[in-house]
Structures are given as C-alpha cells and as structure tokens.
Amino acid sequence: MANHETQLDKELGALKKNLIHMAMVVEQMIDQAITQLINRNEEFTAELVREEQEINRLQIHIDELALTILATLQPVAADLRLILAATKINSDLERIGDLVVNITENVRVLVQQPPLKPLIDIPRMAELVRRMVRESVESFIAGDIDLARRVILTDDKVDALKDQVLRELLTYMTADHSTIERAMALVLISRHLERIGDHANNIAEDVIYAVCGQDVRHPLTQREGHEE
Amino acid sequence: MANHETQLDKELGALKKNLIHMAMVVEQMIDQAITQLINRNEEFTAELVREEQEINRLQIHIDELALTILATLQPVAADLRLILAATKINSDLERIGDLVVNITENVRVLVQQPPLKPLIDIPRMAELVRRMVRESVESFIAGDIDLARRVILTDDKVDALKDQVLRELLTYMTADHSTIERAMALVLISRHLERIGDHANNIAEDVIYAVCGQDVRHPLTQREGHEE
C-alpha cells in the first residue's frame, strides 16, 4: 500500500510537471504573438510551428499519462478529481495554442499595412490573459483556491477591455473606412485573447472543483449550503 | 465479476444518455438563436435561461457520474478512454451553450435595427454546426469512427463559410458605414458559430481517440505506422 502511494505521487508529479511545461510554452507563444504585433515583424513563424508541435506532443503525452495512472494505480477521491482536472486543463492549454495561431494570422494582415493606432488595450489584454494562464496552472499545481478565484475575477477585466476595444474600433471604422480591414483584424485579435481568458477561467473553475469538490462553474445550479 | 460488468454497463449507459440529452438541449438552443435572428424577435430569453441552467445541471451531473464510475467500478482500457472522453465532451457541450448565449447578445443588437441583408451564409453555418454537434455526440454513443471523421471534414466547410461571411461583410462596411455596427454583429455571430464547430470537431477527435486509441488530433506528432 505504501509503495502504491509513492508510485501514485510520482506519477501525479510527472503529470503536473508536464502541465507546467505546457503552460510555459503557451505563455511564450502569447508573448511572441503580441510582440510580433507591436514590433510589426513576421519572422517567428518557424518558432511558432515548433512550439505548436511541442504543445501537441505534450497533449498526447499528458492524456496517456492520465490514462495510465487511472488504469494501473486506481486512484480515488481527491486524486481522481485531480487527474480528471489535469486532462481538462490539458485540452484547454492545447486550444489556447490554437488561438495564438489564429492571432498570428490576424497579425499578418496588420503588419502588411500602416499602423492604425498606437496599441494600448490589446497588449494590456494579452498581458492579463497571459497571467491568467500562468496563475490558473499555478493554482492547480499548488491546489491554491484563492489564486484560482483571482484568475476568475480577472476574466471580468478582460471582458471589459474586449468591449472597449470593440467600441473604439467601431469609431475608427465609421470615421474612415480605409481603416475597416485593420480595425476588423484588431477586433478579432481581441476576441481570440478573450477566448484565451475564457480557457484560463475554465482551468481555474476546474481547479476549485478538483480541490474542494465544490462546483463554482454554475453558482445558480449549485447545491445549497455553500457560501461563496 | 459478472455483476461488476453489468453495473459498469449500466453506469456507462446513464453517462451516454445524459450526454445525448445535453446535446439535444444545445442543438435546440442553436436552432432557437438563429430562428430568433431570422424572425427578428427577442422573446425566447426566458426559455434560453432555462435551457442554460439545464445544461449547467447536466454538466455537474455528468462529471459526478464519471467520477463515481472511476472511483467505484475501476474501469480499464476502452471503458476508461470512453469515460475520459465523456468528461471532455461534457465540457465542450457546456461551452457550446455559452456560445449560443453570446450569439443571442449579437442578435439583440441586430433586431433593433433594420435588416442589413438577406441572411444566407449564417443560417447555413448554423445548420452545419448544429448537425456537427448532433453527429459528434452520435459518433460517441455508437462508437462510429466514420461518422466522427465526417464531422471533422464538415469543419472545413464551416471555416470556408466564416471567411466568406467576413469578406462579404467587409464589402458592406466599406461601401456604407451606416452598416458597420450590424455587419460587425454578424461577423461576431459567424465567429461564435465557427467556435461551436470547433467544439464539435474536438468531440469527434476525442471519439476517435477513445474508440481506437488513435490520436487524430495531431497527425504530425502521431506515432508512426498508423494509416489515415
């Protein structure tokens, strides 16, 4: 029995380590995409392709690891919740990688034309969602519910920035329709960033569910007796 | 042992039944949102709220069911993959519900103004993604790999329509900037529909992975020796 537990701890440690690695790659991808937008260059495509392949490799590896743990070590209770959360976080991180690729497609449109305006809100959004990704995974690793809750609170700021970006760019488009294509590309980038925030938010919710068995995903449908 | 197997079959049946129910509610929500857009009314809000609550209730229930099965019946191999896939499909369906809510927010903007143009591509996109959702879940229930592959192929059509919608609406916006706000709302609806298609696509990929242990999510990083 003691042996079993040690083996389980070791495997759970490997699972966490892979998720941390995956989150780091994803964070770096977000950073690069926004740097590319700000510096107006198109040159890191090869690096992005390599990173995306790394993400895909990690996704498969993490799912296989989770399956192996479930099949061979038959964890229960808290460990079981943790493993299920790990597979969901795995999917979220992989999709964040896809979203960064979508962002770079819009960046490509933008760098071929003169800058529309100094970028303020979009880099701010990118910084917020990058931190959300990091902190959501950190909250999982540390089982830190408070950190997970902070991630969820940050999502409101991201949504507010997204609305602000849309309002401002609609003004640009209306005033001068030579700006329409670029403004649209910026709106779509802000939407991709918002989606990244949503994924980090989902990770944080899954962490709270995994750690304390409490479902914060749907307070309305929640069982009674929980204070929030 | 025979008892154990019967119990497992019964629980897996319950898991599938709940996912079918969830997919039906989600499909209905998509249908209603687009009908609301076409008929230009704002009246089903109460129904949508009820449906979203139903989705949220089902999400919690399905995750609890999966955890209970894993903890008490310790399934292995194919059953284990199936349960992990079920929890991922569960998350995808719940997020599709959220996306429909996003669509109705843009519909609300649109019905308050005169129609911009006859809608052709967006209803077509909606019909495609609705079918993708249904068929992806059906492919899971039946373990039907061919159906799952067809879902994945349909995603390309959805992406092509999304690009077409963007191109057409950019033309409207450029020609007459009184159309900008409405055109933007339509672009965002097409993006939400595309995301729904992505979720159905993810479900189909998870089905193929669950059923034959083959990872189609990333052909590039796939192990050798598999024919596609």
Side-chain angles (χ1 to χ4, degrees), chain A residues 53 56-57 59-60 63-64 67 70-71 74 76 80-81 84 87-88 91-92 94-95 166 170 173-174 177 180-181 184 187-188 191 195 198-199 202 209 215 217-218 220-221 223, chain B residues 53 56-57 59-60 63-64 67 70-71 74 76 80-81 84 87-88 91-92 94-95 166 170 173-174 177 180-181 184 187-188 191 195 198-199 202 209 215 217-218 220-221 223:
Chain A
Q53 283 176 355
N56 295 346
R57 193 191 62 76
Q59 188 194 15
I60 295 170
D63 268 0
E64 291 296 337
L67 278 168
L70 288 173
Q74 289 157 350
V76 289
L80 198 49
R81 281 180 191 274
L84 275 198
T87 65
K88 290 190 177 195
S91 297
D92 280 308
E94 191 268 340
R95 290 175 201 178
L166 178 62
L170 282 174
M173 292 164 116
T174 312
H177 48 220
I180 286 177
E181 195 187 358
M184 181 65 85
V187 169
L188 294 178
R191 297 294 164 142
R195 282 176 67 180
D198 284 344
H199 283 291
N202 290 330
Y209 180 59
D215 211 307
R217 295 175 296 191
H218 313 296
L220 271 179
T221 25
R223 285 132 297 187
Chain B
Q53 284 177 354
N56 296 346
R57 192 190 62 76
Q59 188 195 15
I60 296 171
D63 267 1
E64 291 296 337
L67 278 168
L70 289 173
Q74 290 159 348
V76 290
L80 198 49
R81 281 181 192 273
L84 275 198
T87 66
K88 291 189 177 195
S91 296
D92 280 309
E94 192 268 340
R95 290 175 201 177
L166 177 62
L170 281 174
M173 293 163 115
T174 312
H177 48 221
I180 287 178
E181 197 188 357
M184 182 65 86
V187 169
L188 294 177
R191 296 294 164 144
R195 282 177 69 181
D198 285 345
H199 283 290
N202 290 329
Y209 180 60
D215 211 306
R217 296 175 297 190
H218 313 299
L220 271 178
T221 26
R223 285 132 296 187

Side-chain angles (χ1 to χ4, degrees), chain A residues 168-183:
Chain A
E168 189 188 10
L169 290 169
L170 282 174
T171 314
Y172 272 86
M173 292 164 116
T174 312
D176 171 9
H177 48 220
S178 76
T179 66
I180 286 177
E181 195 187 358
R182 285 170 289 165

Side-chain angles (χ1 to χ4, degrees), chain A residues 87-137:
Chain A
T87 65
K88 290 190 177 195
I89 293 169
N90 189 23
S91 297
D92 280 308
L93 290 174
E94 191 268 340
R95 290 175 201 178
I96 293 174
D98 289 344
L99 288 167
V100 177
V101 175
N102 294 347
I103 289 175
T104 61
E105 283 159 14
N106 293 113
V107 169
R108 205 159 291 137
V109 172
L110 286 165
V111 297
Q112 284 160 5
Q113 300 180 52
L116 175 63
K117 63 180 283 294
L119 295 174
I120 298 163
D121 290 333
I122 284 181
R124 194 176 293 160
M125 274 184 91
E127 187 46 39
L128 282 177
V129 302
R130 200 166 73 95
R131 212 181 65 208
M132 285 174 76
V133 172
R134 184 175 64 241
E135 292 184 346
S136 65
V137 175

